Amino acid sequence: MSGATYRDRVSPTEGAGAPPVAVAERPSSSTGVTILYGVLGVLAAAFGVAIGTLVAAFIDPAYAPIEVVASTAIDLPPQQVKEWATSTFGTASKSVVVGVVVVAVVVTAAWAGITARTRPRFGIQVMIVAGLVGAVAALLRPVDFFLAPLPSIVAGAAAAVALWWLLRMATPAEGVGAVASTSAPGDSGGAMPAGGSRQVSPGNQDLSESGSLDSSTEVQSISRRGVLLGIGGVVVVGGAALGSARWLTTRASAVASRVAAVLPKPAETLAPLPASVQAPVPGMAPFITPNADFYRIDTAVIVPQVTAEEWTLSFDGMVRRPFTLTYADLLDMPMVERDVTIMCVSNPIGGDLIGTARWLGTPLLPLLERAGIEPGADQLFSTSVDGWTCSTPLDGLAEREPLLAIGMNGEPLPIQHGFPVRMIIPGLYGFISATKWVTRISASTYAQDPAYWTVRGWATDAPVLTGSRIDLPQGSLTVGQTAIGGVAWAMDGDGISRVEVSIDDGPWQDAQLADQPTPRTWRQWWLEWEATPGRHTIAVRATNGLGETQTSEVRDVVPSGATGYDVGVVEVA
Ligand SMILES: Nc1nc2c(c(=O)[nH]1)N[C@H]1C(S)=C(S)[C@@H](COP(=O)(O)O)O[C@H]1N2
Ligand SMILES: [Mo]
């Protein structure tokens, strides 16, 4: 390899602490040169990430270097950080974490590049170490996969090679674009710095070993042509790697499997919903939330891609007869349709982490009976293909009529909502019930298997609390007749029996209620209102089918759901 030579040219002072004489001598160009080396560092890192992402595309895109670090970062923070993250960024928190990881990589890489100007070996080591950090993040993923660290290790190595190459190209007298050089083109291995007296043996890696200083012009001068060629090469190869990675990932997605999936005819069909479930008020969202508008909450940075063909679900743990199902087995089971509203425990008062769908699935209870849960088990511990885990209390489970769902609003489950199979359990918040990409259901105990959110301080028993939300009016209002409206829910309390509205702290007035097809969905409500000029406060409260009114006590989402009334302020002009 000819590569060893650039080191001799850039600086002999690595590790010695003293800046190269040349830097001090030429302060004018120093900033520009520093920036250039920073850019080279970032390019090298980007190249490494591209190669690592390509490797991940072959084994599992979830282990691509950036994604795997972001995934582990999402799982690691203590409860408080996480709470802050979800409340501050809401559903966007995942992209924020990815952004932070990208910024960290860019800053580290720029620093490595700048440092590499005087201490090339160190800069290259930083790249390798960064790759190892990714590898550790990969090993911390909940799913055991022996190839998991590979993409990050390759990324670090590729970034190191790219930085080495870029430094070499940038150095005159070396590489294709060499300007002033006393070495012959192609001079390799032991090339000597011009005028230098240093002995370099092939394979000598000790950069701290100081030779004589290069002349200042040579240390500082940069081969422009070399830099451009170097950057060009890295961009072309890196871009090709990224492009191929994307192509492979698309091919390896579950899209084709989902397109090919044909939903079976349900044994029990539900009649189409009557128009009366919809409040007769313009601007009200549809009773059934379209799949495209359905909220999404999960910890997955890369949406798990599970084909129906490869999917299996095992029933095990404290059961007498463990067994495993395939998707074909599941299709042989009787399917039912159910209208169910699901909701996230992290939904703040007035929030939109709630949605209603017509789910198609097979009842879970017969499968649990087939497995035969042993006495002593107190939870169903379900696991997603990405390692996320969920605790569902066995107590009261039967009455909820839990489902293994395969269809959502007439379509196979969208991939981000759990294709091919997820759990749906009416009346429990999603984090203890709605496992997407479910691949294992174990009968177990809370003591033995704490779930993902349990170890982060959230409750284990969290039925959906009765609640209500104001959706209308929206935007600027003019004086006169308008409608206040929204949704209310009491999936765990026999549905909604009453919704009341208070305007400007006035008396509670009964709102009108649209029909509710089942207690397991939300219910729309509305109230005609003669809006007068000025600023108005509107509050809402709901009462469930058991006659219990939601509490006004304000409580945060942690550990088992927010409480308090939704209050809105409107300006009428
Ligand atoms: N595999 C997996 N399933 C999961 C989660 C998750 O993080 N991973 N989050 C749960 C939570 S907290 C909620 S609220 C629901 C949301 O389902 P949705 O994204 O289909 O609306 O999924 C549940 N199922
Ligand atoms: Mo959730």
Side-chain angles (χ1 to χ4, degrees), residues 295 297-298 343-347 353 388 429-432 453 458:
Y295 83 94
I297 288 284
D298 54 61
M343 181 173 176
C344 185
V345 68
S346 299
N347 195 37
L353 303 179
W388 184 83
Y429 287 118
F431 79 118
I432 58 160
W453 287 113
W458 293 74

Side-chain angles (χ1 to χ4, degrees), residues 4-290:
T5 34
Y6 74 86
R7 311 190 215 111
D8 310 318
R9 305 192 163 272
V10 178
S11 167
T13 58
E14 207 261 1
V21 177
V23 174
E25 280 178 3
R26 300 193 47 186
S28 53
S29 65
S30 181
T31 314
V33 173
T34 304
I35 289 173
L36 173 68
Y37 276 88
V39 169
L40 294 184
V42 172
L43 277 172
F47 178 82
V49 166
I51 301 292
T53 304
L54 178 58
V55 172
F58 282 101
I59 56 172
D60 184 342
Y63 296 102
I66 300 286
E67 284 77 0
V68 84
V69 174
S71 302
T72 297
I74 282 172
D75 291 354
L76 276 184
Q79 183 206 345
Q80 292 78 4
V81 178
K82 232 172 151 156
E83 256 169 61
W84 174 81
T86 19
S87 57
T88 310
F89 306 121
T91 28
S93 61
K94 265 187 286 186
S95 15
V96 172
V97 174
V98 171
V100 168
V101 172
V102 169
V103 168
V105 168
V106 167
V107 169
T108 309
W111 169 70
I114 292 165
T115 314
R117 177 184 167 201
T118 51
R119 299 164 68 194
R121 190 181 177 188
F122 181 75
I124 287 169
Q125 282 167 346
V126 169
M127 297 296 175
I128 291 170
V129 169
L132 293 179
V133 169
V136 170
L139 288 171
L140 291 174
R141 299 277 70 224
V143 179
D144 283 329
F145 178 43
F146 76 108
L147 288 176
L150 189 66
S152 295
I153 292 172
V154 171
V161 170
L163 181 60
W164 167 83
W165 153 260
L166 287 168
L167 292 172
R168 178 172 175 260
M169 292 301 282
T171 308
E174 207 29 71
V176 205
V179 244
S181 173
T182 55
S183 313
D187 191 9
S188 67
M192 301 295 289
S197 58
R198 183 176 175 190
Q199 307 280 341
V200 181
S201 56
N204 177 359
Q205 299 297 304
D206 190 357
L207 292 161
S208 63
E209 187 185 301
S210 180
S212 66
L213 286 173
D214 292 351
S215 77
S216 60
T217 40
E218 270 200 355
V219 172
Q220 270 312 118
S221 66
I222 279 166
S223 165
R224 278 207 198 177
R225 203 171 146 224
V227 166
L228 289 178
L229 281 169
I231 289 178
V234 162
V235 168
V236 167
V237 178
L242 215 52
S244 320
R246 186 160 286 184
W247 181 75
L248 281 167
T249 310
T250 322
R251 272 195 351 160
S253 80
V255 170
S257 174
R258 180 171 181 269
V259 167
V262 178
L263 292 180
K265 281 252 159 0
E268 253 179 63
T269 20
L270 283 183
L273 285 169
S276 56
V277 299
Q278 188 70 33
V281 169
M284 190 76 104
F287 179 86
I288 290 285
T289 314

Side-chain angles (χ1 to χ4, degrees), residues 213-455:
L213 286 173
D214 292 351
S215 77
S216 60
T217 40
E218 270 200 355
V219 172
Q220 270 312 118
S221 66
I222 279 166
S223 165
R224 278 207 198 177
R225 203 171 146 224
V227 166
L228 289 178
L229 281 169
I231 289 178
V234 162
V235 168
V236 167
V237 178
L242 215 52
S244 320
R246 186 160 286 184
W247 181 75
L248 281 167
T249 310
T250 322
R251 272 195 351 160
S253 80
V255 170
S257 174
R258 180 171 181 269
V259 167
V262 178
L263 292 180
K265 281 252 159 0
E268 253 179 63
T269 20
L270 283 183
L273 285 169
S276 56
V277 299
Q278 188 70 33
V281 169
M284 190 76 104
F287 179 86
I288 290 285
T289 314
N291 289 355
D293 300 339
F294 211 94
Y295 83 94
R296 173 187 168 203
I297 288 284
D298 54 61
T299 58
V301 171
I302 294 263
V303 182
Q305 304 289 322
V306 186
T307 64
E309 297 70 34
E310 71 189 327
W311 175 86
T312 58
L313 173 60
S314 43
F315 288 82
D316 59 18
M318 299 170 67
V319 297
R320 278 182 286 272
R321 298 169 295 270
F323 64 92
T324 299
L325 288 180
T326 65
Y327 193 72
D329 294 336
L330 201 69
L331 293 187
D332 285 341
M333 322 243 129
M335 292 286 160
V336 298
E337 286 181 311
R338 296 277 185 266
D339 294 328
V340 176
T341 296
I342 67 166
M343 181 173 176
C344 185
V345 68
S346 299
N347 195 37
I349 296 299
D352 57 6
L353 303 179
I354 179 169
T356 301
R358 174 160 290 190
W359 308 94
L360 174 76
T362 195
L364 181 60
L365 290 182
L367 292 166
L368 296 179
E369 271 155 30
R370 176 169 154 194
I373 296 180
E374 286 172 349
D378 55 12
Q379 66 160 339
L380 275 191
F381 187 74
S382 53
T383 307
S384 152
V385 71
D386 66 355
W388 184 83
T389 53
C390 171
S391 276
T392 305
L394 278 171
D395 196 25
L397 183 66
E399 294 79 75
R400 298 186 183 281
E401 300 181 14
L403 277 191
L404 280 179
I406 60 170
M408 181 177 183
N409 295 331
E411 289 176 21
L413 285 178
I415 294 174
Q416 55 179 5
H417 293 294
F419 181 83
V421 184
R422 75 175 304 170
M423 299 187 354
I424 289 293
I425 308 181
L428 295 179
Y429 287 118
F431 79 118
I432 58 160
S433 70
T435 309
K436 305 191 271 188
W437 317 288
V438 64
T439 169
R440 185 173 168 207
I441 297 179
S442 300
S444 127
T445 61
Y446 286 109
Q448 199 186 318
D449 294 308
Y452 185 93
W453 287 113
T454 313
V455 298

